[in-house]
């Protein structure tokens, strides 16, 4: 048995994999369909961003963990449907059920004198494949420059990394991060906690919203009441629409973890 398969076997009995298998079955899919076993990046994406696959039936999760081209993203976003709203001068788009819940959360917040507003404008919600590439590059290139200047990467290594296709580029970045050569904006943590790899974002799924007011515990509570939870550990402004009451989340294979004084519901992979 290969190392990857051993890992999979132990994961297979975890609450997240059990819940995921059953959620996918109801949509006529298997885990292998959305995320091939041998694809380490896809698995990492599934473990870091996978909560969205357990969302309520009011939304459509993406058909794959990693999109590889814009056409597939466009087709999926059309199938899921999208609703637009102008919030604080930014036009944001989400799946209809996610938007409806967000607007209700905003209405409740407003009654209490609070706001829930998009961080970085339209980018706070729906993103295209090209958006995820641009954002990846906004972390990748400065980090590459930094580590080259710091003597941790040679010019040859840097040039080779730049020339790789995205899936290999991401794989090599994650390998470098094992040695402490981090690619997040502040260079202190994995790039995946700072920005999604190209084609992988919950924002592509139109089930994510980055809020300026994430520091406010009451705002987070109001978001939770409306089915919006934080599911990507350490991505502090990022909320995911699950469309479920909080007491149901453990039954969906998610576990609560505290970080930076915030509660994250992440895949419980044991
Ligand atoms: Zn986000």
């Amino acid at each position: 048995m290969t190392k990857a398969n051993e890992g999979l076997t132990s994961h297979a009995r975890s609450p997240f994999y059990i819940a995921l298998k059953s959620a996918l079955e109801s949509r006529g899919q298997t885990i292998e369909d959305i995320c091939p076993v041998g694809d380490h990046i896809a698995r990492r994406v599934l473990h870091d961003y996978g909560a969205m696959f357990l969302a309520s039936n009011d939304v459509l999760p993406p058909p794959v963990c990693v999109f590889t081209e814009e056409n597939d993203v466009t087709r999926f976003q059309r199938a899921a449907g999208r609703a637009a709203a102008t919030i604080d001068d930014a036009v944001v788009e989400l799946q209809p059920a996610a938007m409806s819940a967000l607007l209700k959360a905003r209405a409740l917040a407003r009654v209490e004198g609070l706001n829930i507003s998009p961080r970085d404008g339209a980018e706070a919600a729906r993103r295209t494949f090209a958006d995820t590439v641009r954002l990846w590059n906004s972390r990748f290139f400065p980090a590459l420059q930094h580590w080259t200047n710091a003597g941790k990467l040679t010019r040859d290594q840097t040039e080779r990394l730049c020339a790789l296709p995205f899936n290999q580029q991401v794989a090599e970045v994650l390998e470098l991060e094992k040695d402490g050569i981090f690619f997040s904006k502040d260079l202190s943590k994995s790039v995946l906690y700072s920005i999604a790899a190209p084609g992988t974002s919950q924002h592509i799924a139109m089930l994510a919203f980055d809020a300026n007011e994430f520091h406010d515990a009451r705002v987070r509570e109001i978001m939770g009441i409306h089915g919006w939870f934080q599911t990507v550990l350490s991505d502090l402004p990022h909320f995911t629409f699950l469309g479920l009451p909080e007491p149901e989340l453990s039954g969906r294979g998610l576990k609560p973890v505290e970080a930076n004084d915030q509660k994250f519901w992440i895949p419980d992979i044991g």
Side-chain angles (χ1 to χ4, degrees), residues 181-270:
I181 300 177
F182 291 116
F183 280 69
S184 66
K185 199 170 193 175
D186 66 3
L187 308 164
S188 74
K189 60 183 181 183
S190 173
V191 63
L192 297 187
Y193 296 134
S194 177
I195 204 71
T200 69
S201 175
Q202 290 184 348
H203 290 279
I204 281 184
M206 304 185 293
L207 296 173
F209 182 77
D210 298 335
N212 283 319
E213 296 78 10
F214 68 92
H215 283 300
D216 189 318
R218 179 59 184 155
V219 163
R220 297 197 300 271
E221 192 178 8
I222 290 173
M223 289 293 271
I225 292 168
H226 294 87
W228 282 92
F229 300 93
Q230 295 187 278
T231 71
V232 181
L233 196 59
S234 302
D235 189 346
L236 304 181
H238 181 99
F239 291 80
T240 311
F241 183 68
L242 298 178
L244 300 164
E246 191 165 21
E248 280 186 28
L249 300 184
S250 334
R252 300 265 176 156
L254 304 179
K255 66 176 176 188
V257 173
E258 298 271 340
N260 297 75
D261 293 326
Q262 299 186 30
K263 188 202 278 179
F264 295 84
W265 282 96
I266 64 168
D268 184 357
I269 56 168

Side-chain angles (χ1 to χ4, degrees), residues 38-70:
D39 186 336
H40 295 281
I41 300 301
R43 285 287 150 169
R44 172 78 188 267
V45 167
L46 180 65
H47 297 170
D48 284 351
Y49 308 147
M52 65 177 164
F53 291 103
L54 283 312
S56 86
N57 290 332
D58 296 337
V59 296
L60 182 68
V64 286
C65 282
V66 182
F67 283 99
T68 53
E69 57 166 313
E70 194 77 89

Side-chain angles (χ1 to χ4, degrees), residues 74-113:
T74 306
R75 201 172 305 122
F76 158 71
Q77 291 187 343
R78 198 175 295 140
R82 50 198 235 222
T86 304
I87 303 178
D88 289 5
D89 295 333
V91 178
V92 291
E93 294 176 295
L94 292 166
Q95 290 199 26
M99 180 61 84
S100 159
L102 177 67
L103 295 179
K104 283 180 191 153
R106 273 180 54 78
L108 176 55
R110 245 192 326 256
V111 168
E112 300 184 18

